Amino acid sequence: MSLKIINAKLWLEDGIYDGGLATLDGKIIKIGKEPSLPETKNIIDAKGMLVIPGLIDLHVHFREPGYTHKEEFLTGTRAAAAGGVTTVLDEPNNKPVASSVEALKAKHDLVKGKAYVDYLFNMAVYGDELDEIEAAARFGIKCFAVFDELGDRSTGMDDTGVLFDALKQIKSVKGLAMLNCRESSLVIHTIKRLKAAEKNTLKDYMSHFPHIAEAAGGAKRVLLVHDAEVQAHLREVSTAEAVEMLRNLKPYSGNITSEVRPDHLFLNQENTAELGPYAQQWTPIRTKRDQEALWRALNDGDVNIIASDHATHTKEEKEPGWENIWRSPPGLPAIESMLPLFLTAVEEGKTELSKIVDATSVNPAKRLGLYPLKGCIRVGSDADLVIVDLKQEKTIRGDESLAKTHWTPYEGWKTIGAPVTTIVRGTLVYHEGMIVAEPGVGRFILG
Ligand code: DOR
């Protein structure tokens, strides 16, 4: 399988290069001016457009097995390709929860041949199943979700001793600990208070996760990770307090990366006030003050990874939230709208394209230990490529989404800049609004 892209502006590691590239069997084999590129019948004329490395999304919920009425690997990876995402890390909150090698093997066999983009699995860690970590590492799992709450039973991680043991176990297999900045006991306490007071609007819901619970929970984990000498990644940093905490604990966070979600950068409690359950997510939408702090942190590099937390639910499941927000599930679709929103932010001068490419591709690849196989355009790298039209104007519409549920908190938002072509290991998957490949292009990436 060979392919070449001509008339392109290639986003190389040392700057933009006017020319083209050729791929063979999924790898980039040549970068150069057109005449020097090997002959092939598969030619894509980029018409002078920019080609960036495929996005790597460290936080998606594609719901298979167990919740395929919400999303599934075929539809989730389809939406990923439409969003310029070529590799995803899928979350373990399936049914059954992916917390054992047996469950991971079953999930692997279930989704094999259904994906349009490459994928990895995040394994859920339970305090009474720590020995599964070693077995999972042998199966090729690199990422371990160390959350306080997951699925239908406590993980035991709210016990600091158990959490510390889990971190050391992950260290022993050279794994990556995926952590939430969350002092859960304070969050659970706050939710109980809100429910008892029959506070059940979206505005009430947005106060269920106190700012200090994020900063305190995050600080504890930064210090424990430092002492355990384990590689770690902090999920969905959402508050000014947590950003300040990360800045102050920099001396302790050499082996820690942290992520921000597009929702916490583009949405706030004012521009979502009318959305009810369609703006409800587990780490709630925050204030304008938090939003500004997160943009500064992204631009200063204090938060170095962008991840979507694509977490769809059906409208039928969301609707009861209008009457009582605790009756609808938290989570928003995000993977398809992420890149157009960030390209628009670049156009508006809120950030730079280099920050976005670093945070959506380079840094996630480095975090997973996949750089430079992935995360850059270089001879020998996987040909995971996105052609972006920086001038393409669009309006975000839920019913045009390639995900399984057709709604979005960004309904009617105008964007400028969009992915027009997505290539996964040299295979054309998405082109000018259409999926042009068969499912099964995407493959399981061993840790
Ligand atoms: O809002 C959320 N919903 N955040 C998560 O991390 C879980 C997710 C879900 O699975 O729906």
Side-chain angles (χ1 to χ4, degrees):
M1 172 60 196
S2 66
L3 171 145
K4 73 179 173 185
I5 300 176
I6 57 172
N7 297 329
K9 289 191 177 320
L10 301 178
W11 185 281
L12 303 185
E13 293 150 281
D14 55 2
I16 292 184
Y17 175 87
D18 283 308
L21 59 80
T23 78
L24 184 62
D25 299 335
K27 300 281 184 199
I28 298 171
I29 55 162
K30 185 116 201 249
I31 292 172
K33 303 297 177 193
E34 198 202 336
S36 72
L37 297 175
E39 271 322 304
T40 170
K41 60 182 181 355
N42 303 314
I43 301 172
I44 299 175
D45 184 342
K47 305 182 187 102
M49 290 189 274
L50 189 65
V51 180
I52 60 174
L55 280 61
I56 298 169
D57 190 344
L58 294 187
H59 194 165
V60 304
H61 300 264
F62 288 170
R63 312 286 190 206
E64 196 170 358
Y67 302 102
T68 48
H69 62 291
K70 301 170 190 272
E71 191 78 275
E72 54 185 283
F73 253 69
L74 186 139
T75 55
T77 56
R78 189 174 69 186
V85 176
T86 54
T87 302
V88 296
L89 173 67
D90 189 58
E91 292 301 302
N93 59 334
N94 303 125
K95 198 167 46 180
V97 172
S99 65
S100 66
V101 172
E102 189 203 343
L104 287 158
K105 282 185 177 160
K107 179 174 178 174
H108 175 268
D109 299 347
L110 184 65
V111 305
K112 196 169 179 5
K114 295 179 180 174
Y116 284 103
V117 304
D118 287 349
Y119 52 95
L120 299 92
F121 295 155
N122 197 6
M123 182 183 107
V125 174
Y126 284 80
D128 56 7
E129 289 182 293
L130 289 185
D131 51 4
E132 287 288 344
I133 291 173
E134 200 182 331
R138 278 200 302 278
F139 174 63
I141 297 297
K142 176 175 186 67
C143 302
F144 298 92
V146 186
F147 303 159
D148 290 9
E149 305 133 81
L150 208 150
D152 48 13
R153 66 187 178 95
S154 163
T155 62
M157 296 303 146
D158 47 350
D159 172 326
T160 308
V162 176
L163 170 60
F164 199 43
D165 286 350
L167 294 175
K168 288 189 279 186
Q169 194 86 3
I170 294 166
K171 154 82 179 179
S172 72
V173 298
K174 297 189 178 53
L176 180 60
M178 312 300 272
L179 298 158
N180 278 332
C181 299
R182 191 185 176 91
E183 196 53 36
S184 292
S185 52
L186 176 51
V187 176
I188 293 164
H189 181 79
T190 310
I191 292 173
K192 277 200 192 111
R193 282 260 171 86
L194 288 165
K195 287 182 175 175
E198 295 187 2
K199 291 190 173 294
N200 49 38
T201 67
L202 175 67
K203 195 160 181 353
D204 300 322
Y205 182 89
M206 285 180 171
S207 66
H208 88 266
F209 184 167
H211 286 51
I212 199 59
E214 183 172 86
K220 179 167 103 176
R221 285 160 180 74
V222 168
L223 296 171
L224 290 174
V225 161
H226 177 73
D227 202 75
E229 296 177 336
V230 63
Q231 293 298 318
H233 178 66
L234 295 180
R235 320 303 307 257
E236 31 190 334
V237 173
S238 69
T239 61
E241 286 77 2
V243 167
E244 207 46 42
M245 174 275 290
L246 287 172
R247 283 211 181 97
N248 294 326
L249 288 182
K250 252 206 177 103
Y252 297 90
S253 51
N255 44 12
I256 295 181
T257 51
S258 50
E259 96 192 8
V260 62
R261 301 169 47 169
D263 309 322
H264 288 125
L265 288 165
F266 294 102
L267 302 176
N268 60 52
Q269 292 178 4
E270 285 162 35
N271 67 11
T272 57
E274 308 309 315
L275 293 181
Y278 296 98
Q280 175 200 14
Q281 53 183 37
W282 208 42
T283 301
I285 301 291
R286 300 292 191 180
T287 65
K288 270 195 170 169
R289 171 179 158 270
D290 298 310
Q291 194 183 15
E292 282 145 22
L294 290 168
W295 276 110
R296 270 197 308 278
L298 180 68
N299 290 330
D300 296 348
D302 292 322
V303 167
N304 32 39
I305 287 178
I306 290 168
S308 74
D309 195 359
H310 180 85
T312 54
H313 298 278
T314 64
K315 290 180 183 170
E316 293 70 33
E317 290 168 327
K318 282 285 189 180
E319 282 297 312
W322 288 110
E323 198 190 320
N324 179 335
I325 199 72
W326 307 104
R327 293 206 194 110
S328 58
L332 310 174
I335 201 164
E336 220 168 335
S337 50
M338 175 164 71
L339 184 54
L341 288 168
F342 281 110
L343 293 174
T344 308
V346 170
E347 177 71 18
E348 293 166 351
K350 270 208 194 99
T351 186
E352 292 153 25
L353 191 52
S354 59
K355 294 281 177 210
I356 301 306
V357 173
D358 286 353
T360 60
S361 190
V362 181
N363 297 344
K366 288 182 176 172
R367 179 70 288 180
L368 292 174
L370 291 175
Y371 189 92
L373 176 69
K374 292 183 181 292
C376 65
I377 299 178
R378 185 198 282 196
V379 171
S381 297
D382 281 355
D384 295 342
L385 307 161
V386 185
I387 303 179
V388 289
D389 178 353
L390 294 176
K391 294 286 166 260
Q392 190 180 106
E393 300 195 12
K394 272 189 166 177
T395 303
I396 300 180
R397 296 278 177 227
D399 54 20
E400 289 167 13
S401 167
L402 296 188
K404 199 164 198 174
T405 57
H406 298 292
W407 62 273
T408 170
Y410 303 101
E411 186 67 31
W413 283 49
K414 301 242 175 288
T415 58
I416 176 155
V420 289
T421 302
T422 303
I423 296 164
V424 177
R425 270 177 299 99
T427 299
L428 193 57
V429 171
Y430 175 79
H431 191 56
E432 294 174 351
M434 307 283 288
I435 294 290
V436 291
E438 292 306 312
V441 174
R443 69 179 180 203
F444 181 55
I445 302 289
L446 291 175

